[in-house]
Amino acid sequence: MKVSILTLFPEMFHGVFSSSILKQAQEKGVIQFNVVNFRDYSTDRHKRVDDYPYGGGGGMVLTPQPLFDAVDALKAEQSSTSNEKPPRVILLCPQGEKYTQEKAEELAKEDHLMLICGHYEGYDERIREHIITDEISIGDYVLTGGEIGAMVISDSITRLQSGALGNEQSAVTDSHSTGLLEYPHYTRPAEFRNMKVPDILLSGHHERINTWRRQQSLKRTFERRPDMLEKIELSDKDADFIKFLK
């Protein structure tokens, strides 16, 4: 999978992409990141990428030319080197669809994503209308730019790629991947400062352990995110356990 990130601040991504799972995934050839400074595509002699908004108002607006040309160049480069389907071109902005694990799983199946990181007051609307396939927000708050959102998306889709994690089961059982929050985890020692690991996890009885984990996921979701329970299909046993919790 290839992820192209169009930004005015490429240096922000160095630490993120050269550390931990994202670094390892690139070294394995699981994913490829291409960070592009779209200022390089500006035809303005001063390399400006923003201008005052028509109609007045505060702030500056990103002009269409640099982004249109950058996206065109990346698409042309892709079409000349592969038979991949056209990329999803994603605008990071507060007005977009709220990002979820479900969306991450959808995007993780793509061959090529382009993530556009905006700055200033906003984008020229023609960018939205003619080159964007998706608009995504990572939450109901405003950041100084789209770079952190692009990092969030990059991280979340990388760990869903086959071979990215040491244990393929990890991504499957994560919070939100199952529709529930994840159950508690414990490791050695079995007792620490008089705090003991639940006996069931030391029993070696895998069926009972799985039941305990399911119930703990249900309990944690019921207590912290009850809204999530309305979106998934519960078994009769699950429903009975929720009634017990209530």
Side-chain angles (χ1 to χ4, degrees):
M1 183 180 190
K2 183 176 182 180
V3 180
S4 298
I5 297 173
L6 285 73
T7 174
L8 296 173
F9 301 95
E11 66 276 6
M12 291 180 66
F13 293 88
H14 176 72
V16 174
F17 292 161
S18 60
S19 306
S20 189
I21 298 298
L22 275 69
K23 177 184 178 182
Q24 296 170 26
Q26 292 174 86
E27 291 174 344
K28 293 177 183 177
V30 170
I31 197 163
Q32 176 186 352
F33 292 110
N34 178 30
V35 182
V36 176
N37 188 340
F38 63 85
R39 189 184 298 278
D40 294 340
Y41 289 86
S42 174
T43 57
D44 180 84
R45 64 175 180 161
H46 300 296
K47 292 296 181 181
R48 287 186 59 179
V49 296
D50 62 315
D51 211 329
Y52 295 101
Y54 280 126
M60 303 291 281
V61 176
L62 284 172
T63 58
Q65 179 273 314
L67 280 170
F68 269 75
D69 285 0
V71 170
D72 286 346
L74 290 172
K75 287 182 176 180
E77 180 182 317
Q78 174 184 322
S79 63
S80 66
T81 58
S82 72
N83 294 319
E84 297 173 357
K85 59 183 179 181
R88 296 271 287 270
V89 184
I90 297 171
L91 195 66
L92 279 300
C93 71
Q95 300 178 27
E97 171 188 356
K98 188 179 289 188
Y99 196 55
T100 63
Q101 183 64 25
E102 184 180 6
K103 192 67 175 181
E105 292 169 1
E106 175 190 330
L107 296 180
K109 298 174 184 177
E110 297 291 330
D111 295 325
H112 187 187
L113 297 180
M114 291 187 192
L115 307 179
I116 298 179
C117 308
H119 265 267
Y120 311 116
E121 183 64 23
Y123 307 89
D124 184 290
E125 191 66 17
R126 289 164 291 189
I127 295 170
R128 278 193 170 92
E129 293 175 345
H130 296 286
I131 61 175
I132 300 304
T133 60
D134 303 79
E135 294 185 44
I136 289 178
S137 167
I138 61 169
D140 292 337
Y141 44 86
V142 180
L143 300 173
T144 55
E147 282 75 16
I148 293 175
M151 294 174 194
V152 168
I153 293 174
S154 297
D155 187 291
S156 63
I157 63 174
T158 296
R159 64 194 321 281
L160 293 172
Q161 301 301 309
S162 178
L165 301 179
N167 182 350
E168 294 294 323
Q169 192 65 19
S170 296
V172 177
T173 58
D174 281 339
S175 292
H176 300 285
S177 292
T178 62
L180 299 172
L181 298 182
E182 196 173 11
Y183 51 80
H185 291 280
Y186 295 88
T187 188
R188 288 182 274 191
E191 184 174 346
F192 175 71
R193 295 187 180 182
N194 295 322
M195 296 176 286
K196 297 182 178 180
V197 172
D199 290 337
I200 185 65
L201 297 178
L202 307 176
S203 69
H205 196 299
H206 296 296
E207 184 176 346
R208 291 179 181 174
I209 289 173
N210 288 336
T211 297
W212 179 87
R213 286 175 169 170
R214 178 69 178 182
Q215 290 180 342
Q216 290 297 309
S217 285
L218 288 165
K219 181 174 183 289
R220 183 159 287 186
T221 306
F222 174 77
E223 292 172 344
R224 302 182 184 186
R225 288 292 305 278
D227 57 294
M228 293 174 62
L229 294 173
E230 301 173 3
K231 301 175 184 178
I232 65 170
E233 185 174 344
L234 299 174
S235 68
D236 290 341
K237 287 184 178 180
D238 290 342
D240 289 341
F241 185 71
I242 294 298
K243 288 180 182 178
F244 168 76
L245 293 176
K246 291 179 178 179

